[in-house]
Coordinates of all heavy atoms in Angstrom, one line a residue:
D2 N 62.6 100.1 97.9 CA 63.6 100.4 96.9 C 65.0 100.6 97.6 O 65.0 101.2 98.7 CB 63.2 101.7 96.2 CG 62.0 101.5 95.3 OD1 61.9 100.4 94.8 OD2 61.2 102.5 95.2
H3 N 66.0 100.1 97.0 CA 67.3 100.3 97.5 C 68.1 101.2 96.5 O 68.1 101.0 95.3 CB 68.0 98.9 97.6 CG 67.4 98.1 98.6 ND1 67.7 98.2 100.0 CD2 66.6 97.0 98.5 CE1 67.0 97.3 100.6 NE2 66.3 96.6 99.8
L4 N 68.8 102.1 97.1 CA 69.6 103.1 96.3 C 71.0 102.5 96.2 O 71.6 102.0 97.1 CB 69.7 104.4 97.1 CG 70.4 105.5 96.4 CD1 69.8 105.9 95.1 CD2 70.5 106.7 97.3
H5 N 71.5 102.5 95.0 CA 72.9 102.0 94.7 C 73.7 103.3 94.6 O 73.4 104.2 93.9 CB 72.9 101.3 93.4 CG 72.2 100.0 93.4 ND1 72.8 98.8 93.3 CD2 70.8 99.8 93.4 CE1 71.9 97.9 93.3 NE2 70.7 98.4 93.4
I6 N 74.9 103.2 95.3 CA 75.8 104.4 95.3 C 77.2 103.9 95.0 O 77.6 102.9 95.6 CB 75.8 105.1 96.7 CG1 74.4 105.6 97.0 CG2 76.8 106.2 96.7 CD1 74.2 106.2 98.4
N7 N 77.8 104.5 94.1 CA 79.2 104.2 93.8 C 80.0 105.6 93.7 O 80.3 106.0 92.6 CB 79.3 103.5 92.5 CG 80.7 103.0 92.1 OD1 81.7 103.4 92.8 ND2 80.8 102.2 91.1
D8 N 80.2 106.1 94.8 CA 81.0 107.4 95.0 C 82.3 107.1 95.7 O 82.2 106.6 96.8 CB 80.2 108.5 95.7 CG 79.0 109.0 94.9 OD1 79.1 109.0 93.6 OD2 78.0 109.3 95.5
V9 N 83.4 107.6 95.2 CA 84.7 107.4 95.9 C 85.3 108.8 96.0 O 85.3 109.6 95.1 CB 85.6 106.5 95.0 CG1 87.0 106.4 95.7 CG2 85.0 105.1 94.8
S10 N 85.8 109.0 97.2 CA 86.5 110.3 97.5 C 87.8 109.9 98.3 O 87.7 109.3 99.3 CB 85.6 111.2 98.3 OG 86.3 112.4 98.6
L11 N 88.9 110.3 97.7 CA 90.2 109.9 98.4 C 91.1 111.1 98.5 O 91.1 112.0 97.6 CB 90.9 108.9 97.5 CG 90.2 107.5 97.3 CD1 91.0 106.7 96.2 CD2 90.1 106.7 98.6
V12 N 91.9 111.2 99.5 CA 93.0 112.1 99.6 C 94.2 111.3 100.0 O 94.2 110.6 101.0 CB 92.7 113.2 100.7 CG1 93.9 114.2 100.8 CG2 91.4 114.0 100.4
G13 N 95.3 111.4 99.2 CA 96.5 110.7 99.4 C 97.6 111.2 98.7 O 97.5 112.2 98.0
R14 N 98.8 110.6 98.8 CA 100.0 111.0 98.2 C 100.1 110.4 96.8 O 99.9 109.2 96.6 CB 101.2 110.6 99.0 CG 101.3 111.2 100.4 CD 101.9 112.6 100.3 NE 101.7 113.3 101.6 CZ 101.7 114.6 101.7 NH1 101.8 115.4 100.7 NH2 101.6 115.1 102.9
F15 N 100.5 111.2 95.8 CA 100.7 110.7 94.4 C 102.0 109.9 94.5 O 103.1 110.4 94.9 CB 100.9 112.0 93.6 CG 101.1 111.7 92.1 CD1 100.0 111.3 91.3 CD2 102.3 111.9 91.5 CE1 100.2 111.1 90.0 CE2 102.5 111.7 90.2 CZ 101.5 111.3 89.4
T16 N 102.0 108.7 94.1 CA 103.1 107.8 94.2 C 103.6 107.3 92.9 O 104.8 106.9 92.8 CB 102.9 106.6 95.1 OG1 101.8 105.8 94.6 CG2 102.6 107.0 96.5
A17 N 102.8 107.2 91.9 CA 103.3 106.6 90.6 C 102.4 107.1 89.5 O 101.2 107.3 89.6 CB 103.2 105.1 90.6
G18 N 103.1 107.4 88.3 CA 102.3 107.8 87.2 C 102.9 109.1 86.7 O 103.9 109.6 87.2
P19 N 102.3 109.7 85.7 CA 101.2 109.2 84.9 C 101.7 108.2 83.9 O 102.8 108.3 83.4 CB 100.6 110.4 84.3 CG 101.8 111.3 84.1 CD 102.7 111.1 85.3
V20 N 100.8 107.3 83.6 CA 101.0 106.3 82.5 C 99.9 106.5 81.5 O 98.7 106.5 81.9 CB 101.0 104.9 83.0 CG1 101.1 103.9 81.8 CG2 102.2 104.6 84.0
Y21 N 100.3 106.8 80.3 CA 99.3 107.0 79.2 C 99.2 105.7 78.4 O 100.2 105.1 78.0 CB 99.7 108.2 78.3 CG 100.0 109.4 79.1 CD1 101.2 109.8 79.5 CD2 98.9 110.2 79.6 CE1 101.5 110.9 80.3 CE2 99.1 111.3 80.4 CZ 100.4 111.7 80.7 OH 100.6 112.8 81.5
R22 N 97.9 105.3 78.1 CA 97.7 104.1 77.4 C 96.6 104.2 76.4 O 95.5 104.7 76.7 CB 97.4 103.0 78.4 CG 97.3 101.6 77.9 CD 97.0 100.6 78.9 NE 97.9 100.9 80.0 CZ 98.2 100.0 80.9 NH1 97.7 98.8 80.8 NH2 99.0 100.2 81.9
A23 N 96.8 103.6 75.2 CA 95.8 103.5 74.2 C 95.2 102.1 74.3 O 96.0 101.1 74.2 CB 96.3 103.8 72.8
L24 N 94.0 101.9 74.4 CA 93.3 100.6 74.5 C 93.0 100.1 73.1 O 92.9 100.9 72.2 CB 92.1 100.7 75.4 CG 92.3 101.2 76.8 CD1 91.0 101.2 77.6 CD2 93.3 100.3 77.6
P25 N 92.8 98.8 73.0 CA 92.5 98.2 71.7 C 91.2 98.8 71.1 O 91.0 98.9 69.9 CB 92.3 96.7 72.0 CG 93.1 96.4 73.2 CD 93.1 97.7 74.0
S26 N 90.3 99.3 72.0 CA 89.0 99.9 71.6 C 89.3 101.3 70.9 O 88.4 101.9 70.3 CB 88.1 100.1 72.8 OG 88.7 101.0 73.7
G27 N 90.5 101.8 71.1 CA 90.8 103.2 70.6 C 90.7 104.2 71.7 O 91.2 105.3 71.5
A28 N 90.2 103.9 72.8 CA 90.1 104.8 73.9 C 91.5 105.1 74.5 O 92.3 104.1 74.5 CB 89.1 104.3 75.0
E29 N 91.7 106.3 75.0 CA 93.0 106.6 75.6 C 92.7 106.9 77.1 O 91.8 107.6 77.4 CB 93.7 107.8 74.9 CG 94.1 107.5 73.5 CD 94.8 108.6 72.9 OE1 95.0 109.7 73.5 OE2 95.2 108.5 71.7
L30 N 93.6 106.4 77.9 CA 93.4 106.7 79.3 C 94.8 107.1 80.0 O 95.8 106.8 79.4 CB 92.8 105.5 80.1 CG 93.6 104.2 80.2 CD1 94.5 104.1 81.4 CD2 92.6 103.0 80.2
V31 N 94.6 107.7 81.1 CA 95.8 108.1 81.9 C 95.6 107.4 83.2 O 94.5 107.4 83.8 CB 96.0 109.6 82.0 CG1 94.8 110.3 82.7 CG2 97.2 109.9 82.8
E32 N 96.7 106.8 83.8 CA 96.6 106.1 85.0 C 97.7 106.6 86.0 O 98.7 107.1 85.6 CB 97.0 104.6 84.8 CG 96.0 103.9 83.9 CD 96.5 102.4 83.6 OE1 97.5 102.2 83.0 OE2 95.7 101.5 84.0

Side-chain angles (χ1 to χ4, degrees):
D2 289 330
H3 294 281
L4 180 64
H5 295 249
I6 299 173
N7 184 354
D8 289 326
V9 176
S10 179
L11 301 170
V12 177
R14 297 277 172 205
F15 183 74
T16 59
V20 173
Y21 304 100
R22 185 179 314 203
L24 300 181
S26 66
E29 293 183 1
L30 64 90
V31 58
E32 299 175 297

